[in-house]
Amino acid sequence: MYEIWLVINILWEIALGVWPLLLVAALVWMALMVLAAQRGAAWSRAWPLAAALGAVVALVLIPLVPSAVGSSLANMGYWVDWANLLAICGGLGAAAAAFAWPLLARRGTSP
């Protein structure tokens, strides 16, 4: 349980260091959602493709994330390491899906 609390604290500290970037990303996402909604976006038709894109991004990132932080898959010997890796890749995949969804929904509408 201590390891999970430690991870939460580390993520909080990382977020505090990059909050301007997170704020910009949130504002861009909200703008994409508003723009797509104004055109009568096809939300339900775009969701499966956005979710699939997010899943592909998450799977592609599994071997890439450890090397991006100076580690490797060979160094992951503890279940918390794997849980963190899967959570990071899942979160980035969800972010990719969240940004792709309004873009795909907007594209699915007729002008």
Side-chain angles (χ1 to χ4, degrees), residues 70-90:
S71 185
S72 72
L73 289 175
N75 293 336
M76 299 184 53
Y78 191 44
W79 73 269
V80 174
D81 298 333
W82 286 100
N84 287 332
L85 175 65
L86 295 176
I88 290 166
C89 294

Side-chain angles (χ1 to χ4, degrees), residues 3-66:
E3 293 89 354
I4 295 170
W5 181 249
L6 180 63
V7 167
I8 292 170
N9 283 321
I10 290 169
L11 290 175
W12 176 254
E13 293 297 326
I14 291 170
L16 286 177
V18 296
W19 73 264
L21 180 62
L22 294 174
L23 179 62
V24 168
L27 292 174
V28 167
W29 180 76
M30 286 191 301
L32 289 173
M33 296 294 280
V34 168
L35 288 173
Q38 286 176 343
R39 288 196 52 190
W43 297 108
S44 60
R45 281 190 298 176
W47 175 242
L49 185 56
L53 177 70
V56 168
V57 167
L59 288 173
V60 167
L61 288 175
I62 288 175
L64 300 177
V65 167

